[in-house]
């Protein structure tokens, strides 16, 4: 309790997949951390930040300063501005320490197909993307992340977070996690069901572990919060977890986590899931996976208390008048042998006083076999030829689409039918789903002759109407000019290029990985996609007269760079400094070698890529910039915060403190910097609010009334240029 009453210390994480991570770490340790240690603010001595011992490669750090102190203290202004700028450019994430744990326990490999079921606001999703891109030499990892959230507005906050990482392997979708649809992919010419190698199931919870940063939890918390979340909508948290393990591949891992310490939301859900799985799932022992992390084993016994203060130790004690609020799955299993076989002690409870963090619960489940209830439901009593015919003609509206209902078996069900594995069942469901039947049209409609669980609530597809995702054809004339203008290598995956319009001029072009293309093409009517892909080219009509109407986009330069063979100018560190500190420098300001290269690529406006040649003693990270070469000048198309990032890597001071020291920019540019900082700071505060909303959300039917105030931002957002 003493720890809970203290403000939560600030923690930061350096994005691990970028090769700039080592340079940022060096910059932090040698400059910013040295500047702030030994300071005293409001009577509190500021200690030097320390790395989190359990996080790999010193990529996460904690301080003894609260976020409020960092934001408000003039002595920390330079450090604060550094954090805001680097967060906005995607190189640092200000994330709570315990929130970093679930992605590590998933043990992500670059080839894994990953589902993040309740992803907003997106800090864990960002970690998953980073882990996919562990090897920066591979622009398109085989794996991908599908990030889902039930709240349409929060999905745009999720897009904002994911966009900072410029990955072609992320897709944001908008579904209720408890009935997220089963997706199909094309495998060797045949339709196959998509099973995920890794699933993150960070469910909505009462948030009682977040009291240190969300003060409102102290006032709003009651013992009934957990009863509502476990019991609401026929066991909301359990339904989400069940839907997750159904979509998990055999041999895959699913992490179930909450920021609550209440066993009804934690061990009770895991115990119910293990009991229903009949051995198909097991809790993994993760005690050696996070060396240095202090935690407490999961509990094996607990009681329930109502809002009025009544205690119940067993379901048999609960009066029938409370059966709708208190469910049997909220209690520990009665059978001691069964309870022991579950190994609930393998769950991990992180308490605030263990290492000065928030409270957190995490459990890792490994799938050993298909889920048993798939063999308990009678098949759809319908002629298979009729079903097949419906699939080709648009189908019957009554046929359920995969994932419309969570396949939670009724208690005590013993009915068995043909088909003895999950893959057959879900594949059959996919076959019987008519093309064009989207989730939510008739979710919950029960076809004649269909026996099974009660239908779930109708899926609501709401929010902004999204533009379509249209892949370019092999012979699209738009791409022909791009291919010749930039001399793209023959292995460039042009079929992975898409736009957001069927008609009219294409304003922006994006790229996704081959695997995400497969998912998009085979599930366009089955899921609501909010955003996917990374922008690689933007239309600039002035360029048409010079052979190509599309210029390179900075967001996608690291994705495109391996394939571009012309229009590249190799520049020195001094050239980069000129390009990033001056708006339109004359070509003559470049060093001789870069000047000569620039002259060769044309005499009037041309797009180009600027590539830093690294020499010993200079920053050992690649710097790729998009540029525009005019008649006598050259310009780098790089967003403001990214400019600041590159300049810091090159040792240039880019901010000034309140006393006016260290000024490196004109007053006008300073104003623009402050505006960008204010926007980033507002985003950060909104993210905290959204996280609090997520933790205390009790009414998913009505959505989050205090949803993100982000305006609609899709893949077609205009690039920010300096």
């Amino acid at each position: 309790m003493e720890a809970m009453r203290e403000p939560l210390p600030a923690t930061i994480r350096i994005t691990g997949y970028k090769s700039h991570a080592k340079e940022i770490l060096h910059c932090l340790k040698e400059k910013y951390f040295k500047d702030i240690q030994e300071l005293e603010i409001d009577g509190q001595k500021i200690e030097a930040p320390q790395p989190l011992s359990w996080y790999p490669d010193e990529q996460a750090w904690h301080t003894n300063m609260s976020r409020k102190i960092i934001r408000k203290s003039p002595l920390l202004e330079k450090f604060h501005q550094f954090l805001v700028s680097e967060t906005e450019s995607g190189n640092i994430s200000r994330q709570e320490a315990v929130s970093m744990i679930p992605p590590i326990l998933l043990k992500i490999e670059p080839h894994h197909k990953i589902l993040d079921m309740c992803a907003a606001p997106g800090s864990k999703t960002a970690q998953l993307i980073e882990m996919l891109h562990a090897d920066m030499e591979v622009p398109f990892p085989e794996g991908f992340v599908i990030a889902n959230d039930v709240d349409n507005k929060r999905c745009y906050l999720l897009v904002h977070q994911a966009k900072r990482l410029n990955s072609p392997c992320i897709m944001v979708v908008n579904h209720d996690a408890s009935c997220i649809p089963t997706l199909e992919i094309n495998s060797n010419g045949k339709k196959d069901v998509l099973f995920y190698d890794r699933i993150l199931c960070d469910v909505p919870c009462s948030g009682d572990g977040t009291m240190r940063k969300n003060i409102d939890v102290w006032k709003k918390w009651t013992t009934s919060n957990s009863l509502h979340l476990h019991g609401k909508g026929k066991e909301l948290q359990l339904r989400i977890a069940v839907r997750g393990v159904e979509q998990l591949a055999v041999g895959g891992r699913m992490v179930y986590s909450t920021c609550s310490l209440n066993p009804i939301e934690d061990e009770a859900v895991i115990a119910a899931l293990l009991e229903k799985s009949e051995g198909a799932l097991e809790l993994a022992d993760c005690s050696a996976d996070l060396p240095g992390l202090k935690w407490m084993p999961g509990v094996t016994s607990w009681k329930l208390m109502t809002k009025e203060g009544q205690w119940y130790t067993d379901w048999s004690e609960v009066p029938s008048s409370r059966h709708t609020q208190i469910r049997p799955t909220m209690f520990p299993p009665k059978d001691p042998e069964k309870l022991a076989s579950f190994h609930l002690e393998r769950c991990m409870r992180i308490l605030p006083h263990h290492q000065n963090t928030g409270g957190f619960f995490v459990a890792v489940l490994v799938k050993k076999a298909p889920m048993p209830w798939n063999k308990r439901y009678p098949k759809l009593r319908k002629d298979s030829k009729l079903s097949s015919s419906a699939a080709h003609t648009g189908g019957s509206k009554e046929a359920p689409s995969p994932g419309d209902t969570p396949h939670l078996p009724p208690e005590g069900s013993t009915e068995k039918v043909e088909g003895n594995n999950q893959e057959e069942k879900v594949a059959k469901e996919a076959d019987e789903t008519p093309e064009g039947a989207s989730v939510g049209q008739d979710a919950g409609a029960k076809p004649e002759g269909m026996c099974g669980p009660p239908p779930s609530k109708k899926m609501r597809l709401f929010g902004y109407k999204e533009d379509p995702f249209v892949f370019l054809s092999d012979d699209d004339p738009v791409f022909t000019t791009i291919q010749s203008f930039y001399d793209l290598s023959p292995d460039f995956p042009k079929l992975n290029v898409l736009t957001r319009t069927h008609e009219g001029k294409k304003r922006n072009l994006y790229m996704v990985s081959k695997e995400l293309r497969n998912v998009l093409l085979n599930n366009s009517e089955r899921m609501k996609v909010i955003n996917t892909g990374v922008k690689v080219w933007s239309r600039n009509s002035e360029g048409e007269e010079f052979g190509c109407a599309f210029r390179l986009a900075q967001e996608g330069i690291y994705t495109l760079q391996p394939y571009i063979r012309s229009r590249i100018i190799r520049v020195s560190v001094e050239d980069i400094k000129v390009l990033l500190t001056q708006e339109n420098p004359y070509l003559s300001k470049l060093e001789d070698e870069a000047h000569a290269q620039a002259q060769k690529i044309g005499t009037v406006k041309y797009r180009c890529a600027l590539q830093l040649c690294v020499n010993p003693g200079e920053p050992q990270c690649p710097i790729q910039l998009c540029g525009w070469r005019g008649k006598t000048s050259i310009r780098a198309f790089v967003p403001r915060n990214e400019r600041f990032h590159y300049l810091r890597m090159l040792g240039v001071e880019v901010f000034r403190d309140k006393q006016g020291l260290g000024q490196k920019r004109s007053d006008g540019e300073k104003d623009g910097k402050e505006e960008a900082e204010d926007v980033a700071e507002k985003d950060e505060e909104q993210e905290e609010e959204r996280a609090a909303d997520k933790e205390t959300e009790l009414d998913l039917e009505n959505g989050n009334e205090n949803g993100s105030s982000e305006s609609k931002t899709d893949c077609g957002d205009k690039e920010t240029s300096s």
Side-chain angles (χ1 to χ4, degrees), residues 503-521:
E503 300 171 355
K505 286 190 173 181
K506 300 170 176 64
R507 191 158 65 94
N508 294 298
L509 300 179
Y510 311 89
M511 287 199 74
V512 295
S513 64
K514 180 179 69 175
E515 289 73 18
L516 267 190
R517 180 181 188 272
N518 192 345
V519 173
L520 267 173
L521 289 177

Side-chain angles (χ1 to χ4, degrees), residues 67-172:
R67 294 175 75 150
K68 184 177 179 181
I69 287 178
I70 293 177
R71 278 201 299 264
K72 304 300 181 187
S73 172
L75 294 172
L76 297 172
E77 187 199 10
K78 200 175 288 187
F79 180 51
H80 175 236
Q81 290 176 1
F82 167 81
L83 293 179
V84 170
S85 178
E86 291 294 342
T87 299
E88 193 57 25
S89 56
N91 298 301
I92 276 181
S93 174
R94 287 183 280 179
Q95 181 181 354
E96 192 178 344
V98 290
S99 171
M100 303 175 194
I101 294 171
I104 299 176
L105 293 178
L106 278 172
K107 299 185 176 179
I108 302 292
E109 299 288 340
H111 63 276
H112 283 155
K113 300 174 180 66
I114 307 160
L115 173 65
D116 190 350
M117 300 187 77
C118 309
S123 52
K124 297 182 189 71
T125 309
Q127 272 181 278
L128 301 176
I129 298 169
E130 293 163 23
M131 292 170 177
L132 275 184
H133 289 272
D135 185 356
M136 274 292 283
E137 299 299 315
V138 181
F140 294 101
E142 288 182 33
F144 56 77
V145 177
I146 294 180
N148 173 71
D149 203 84
V150 67
D151 190 295
N152 184 259
K153 290 179 180 177
R154 284 162 58 86
C155 283
Y156 294 99
L157 181 65
L158 185 53
V159 169
H160 178 71
Q161 286 278 70
K163 269 190 168 186
R164 297 169 177 172
L165 297 170
N166 301 328
S167 170
C169 303
I170 170 71
M171 180 189 292
V172 176

Side-chain angles (χ1 to χ4, degrees), residues 117 176-179 232-244 406 408 456-457:
M117 300 187 77
D176 181 340
S178 66
C179 49
K232 182 176 176 58
K234 295 174 187 163
E235 304 161 335
L236 173 65
Q237 291 164 326
L238 182 56
R239 285 171 57 228
I240 293 174
V242 164
R243 191 65 188 128
L408 188 60
S456 64
K457 66 185 179 188

Side-chain angles (χ1 to χ4, degrees), residues 209-472:
T210 69
M211 289 179 173
R212 299 182 70 180
K213 68 173 183 178
N214 298 323
I215 305 302
D216 281 352
V217 176
W218 287 92
K219 294 182 285 186
K220 294 178 180 177
W221 186 88
T222 74
T223 55
S224 60
N225 286 8
S226 297
L227 304 183
H228 283 307
L229 276 159
H230 184 115
K232 182 176 176 58
K234 295 174 187 163
E235 304 161 335
L236 173 65
Q237 291 164 326
L238 182 56
R239 285 171 57 228
I240 293 174
V242 164
R243 191 65 188 128
V245 294
E246 283 179 345
Q247 301 217 12
L248 188 64
V250 173
R253 291 166 78 92
M254 183 176 93
V255 168
Y256 176 90
S257 62
T258 74
C259 39
S260 168
L261 297 173
N262 194 322
I264 298 169
E265 301 179 59
D266 299 339
E267 287 89 352
V269 173
I270 296 298
L273 195 56
L274 290 170
E275 187 162 8
K276 292 176 188 299
S277 78
E278 298 179 5
L281 299 171
E282 77 170 25
L283 273 171
D285 182 357
C286 300
S287 55
D289 291 344
L290 295 167
L293 179 71
K294 298 173 185 174
W295 52 279
M296 181 180 139
V299 297
T300 55
S301 64
W302 58 88
K303 297 185 289 185
L304 266 68
M305 190 178 86
T306 65
K307 198 171 183 178
E308 296 75 28
Q310 294 168 289
W311 286 95
Y312 299 111
T313 56
D314 188 77
W315 168 249
S316 61
E317 300 173 6
V318 181
S320 57
S321 61
R322 290 198 177 270
H323 280 186
T324 55
Q325 183 189 24
I326 299 175
R327 307 296 303 149
T329 50
M330 296 179 181
F331 294 92
K334 286 183 182 178
D335 184 344
E337 285 188 17
K338 181 181 285 186
L339 182 61
S341 71
F342 289 167
H343 296 292
L344 291 180
E345 71 279 357
R346 292 179 179 173
C347 299
M348 304 172 78
R349 293 176 150 265
I350 295 96
L351 304 186
H353 64 278
H354 282 160
Q355 51 244 311
N356 202 7
T357 65
F360 206 71
F361 173 88
V362 62
V364 181
L365 294 155
V366 176
K367 189 171 181 179
K368 296 294 187 181
M371 305 313 293
W373 53 81
N374 294 122
K375 51 195 172 187
R376 291 185 177 160
Y377 291 128
K379 293 181 181 178
L380 189 64
R381 308 204 198 295
K382 185 189 276 189
D383 182 61
S384 60
K385 291 180 183 176
L386 181 64
S387 175
S388 174
S389 170
H392 289 289
T393 59
S396 161
K397 282 190 178 182
E398 292 183 289
S401 70
D404 277 356
T405 55
H407 308 292
L408 188 60
E411 290 178 34
S413 169
T414 55
E415 188 174 6
K416 297 199 176 187
V417 295
E418 295 175 32
N420 60 359
N421 65 52
Q422 176 192 14
E423 286 78 359
E424 286 179 15
K425 171 71 169 72
V426 184
K428 179 170 174 57
E429 282 182 339
D431 289 341
E432 289 168 348
T433 303
E435 293 194 21
S438 64
V439 178
Q441 286 178 337
D442 289 284
K446 200 168 176 180
E448 266 186 43
M450 176 65 176
C451 298
S456 64
K457 66 185 179 188
K458 183 177 179 181
M459 165 57 74
R460 296 168 297 125
L461 294 184
F462 56 94
Y464 301 106
K465 187 178 187 303
E466 291 299 322
D467 295 327
F469 295 84
V470 184
F471 285 94
L472 300 191

